[in-house]
């Protein structure tokens, strides 16, 4: 299947305006469009039961959708999972052909092809099932309109600073034990993805299996993770419990200046995982010379690794989610195309330091000990 990249990601959220305020304030997104019953008239858009805001930062685009009544799927999604990723949209050259191909390969049909047109362009969309409650929208674009007849563009607020984020680099999914292989097989069979990386990740007494699948074009990448049930219960089990089943654990935003991005977003209220100084003390022996000076990475907790092609710099944000589930990642790639075998355990060890306190307090609270 010819997938050109991730076109956008849609979150279902309790209050789209509040979520937009946070993403704009802390992570530098801008509201650039909106949709809802009053925008074009519900008869045309079908948006009689939702309000949606379109945000962008660099080339990344995010839709935030809230249900206006219990009939809209966002209502049930939010009640099952809290706010979270509901749709990952693929840019494709022929949405109807991709839809037919996916359904023929066993994908669930969610919405058959439909066309939106205005003088600025024509957009064809179709939706099929993904994993858990996450679905995939095929988006075929001609012209400059984002989604004619559905999302009305609006000028971003003035004082727009230069973008610190470029695009959505990859997404990570958590699935229950025993579902990793089937999920990977599904993405290979239905969307033509290839398995490009696999890793057993050990974090203290916890373990997790991860496999990375990528579209043939190399422009859409998903890391799929399942817990190792033979080890101690850990953060993947926590995600599955608190999220209420499989779901998107994080989205990674690529940046050309991860140091500036972490500094800026931290100043505005985003939290990032903390890494102890000992990590940086041995970094030179492990990685050799780094493109970015270690003394700039150390105070911010940015991790560094390399693959066959080059270096990569990564950090997880703290989860701002009320259930401590979804979070963001920032990644700056210097030639690296995949993931490093050292960064993955280091990223999850940093996340563990954040989650351990919460897990302990939740368990103590549940046991009536707090
Ligand atoms: Fe990641």
């Amino acid at each position: 299947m010819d997938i050109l990249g991730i076109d956008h990601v849609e979150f279902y959220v309790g209050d789209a305006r509040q979520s937009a305020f946070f993403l704009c304030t802390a992570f530098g997104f801008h509201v650039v469009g909106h949709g809802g019953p009053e925008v074009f008239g519900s008869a045309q858009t079908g948006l009689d039961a939702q309000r949606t805001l379109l945000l962008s930062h660099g080339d990344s685009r995010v839709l935030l959708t809230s249900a206006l009544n219990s009939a809209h799927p966002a209502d049930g999604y939010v009640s099952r999972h809290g706010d979270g990723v509901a749709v990952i949209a693929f840019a494709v050259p022929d949405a109807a052909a991709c839809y037919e191909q996916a359904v023929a390969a066993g994908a669930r049909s969610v919405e058959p092809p439909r066309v939106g047109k205005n003088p600025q362009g024509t957009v064809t969309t179709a939706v099929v099932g993904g994993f858990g409650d996450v679905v995939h929208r095929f988006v075929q674009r001609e012209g400059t309109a984002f989604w004619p007849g559905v999302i009305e563009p609006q000028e971003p607020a003035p004082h727009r600073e230069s973008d610190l984020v470029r695009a959505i680099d990859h997404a990570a999914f958590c699935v229950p034990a025993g579902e990793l292989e089937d999920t990977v097989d599904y993405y290979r069979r239905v969307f033509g993805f290839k398995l490009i990386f696999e890793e057993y990740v050990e974090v203290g007494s916890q373990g997790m299996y991860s496999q990375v699948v990528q579209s043939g074009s190399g422009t859409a990448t998903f890391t799929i993770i399942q817990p190792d049930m033979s080890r101690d219960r850990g953060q993947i089990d926590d995600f599955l419990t608190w999220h209420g089943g499989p779901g998107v654990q994080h989205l990674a935003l690529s940046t050309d200046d991860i140091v500036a991005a972490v500094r800026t977003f931290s100043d505005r209220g985003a939290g990032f995982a903390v890494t102890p100084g000992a990590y940086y003390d041995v970094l030179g022996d492990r990685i050799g010379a780094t493109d970015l000076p270690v003394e700039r990475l150390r105070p911010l907790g940015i991790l560094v690794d390399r693959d066959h092609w080059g270096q990569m710099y990564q950090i997880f944000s703290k989860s701002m989610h009320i259930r401590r589930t979804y979070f963001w990642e920032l990644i700056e790639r210097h030639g690296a195309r995949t993931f490093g075998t050292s960064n993955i355990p280091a990223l999850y060890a940093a996340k563990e330091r954040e989650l351990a306190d919460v897990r302990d307090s939740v368990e103590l609270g549940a046991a009536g000990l707090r």
Side-chain angles (χ1 to χ4, degrees), residues 31 40 84 87 96 99 193 234 242 318:
V31 177
F40 293 100
V87 185
Y99 170 84
F193 279 50
W242 295 341
K318 286 186 175 166

Side-chain angles (χ1 to χ4, degrees), residues 170-172 223 249-252 314 316 329 331 339 347-348:
H170 63 271
T223 301
Q249 181 207 40
H250 70 264
L251 293 173
Q314 287 170 282
F316 282 167
E329 175 188 326
I331 181 165
F339 298 96
L347 284 162
Y348 283 96

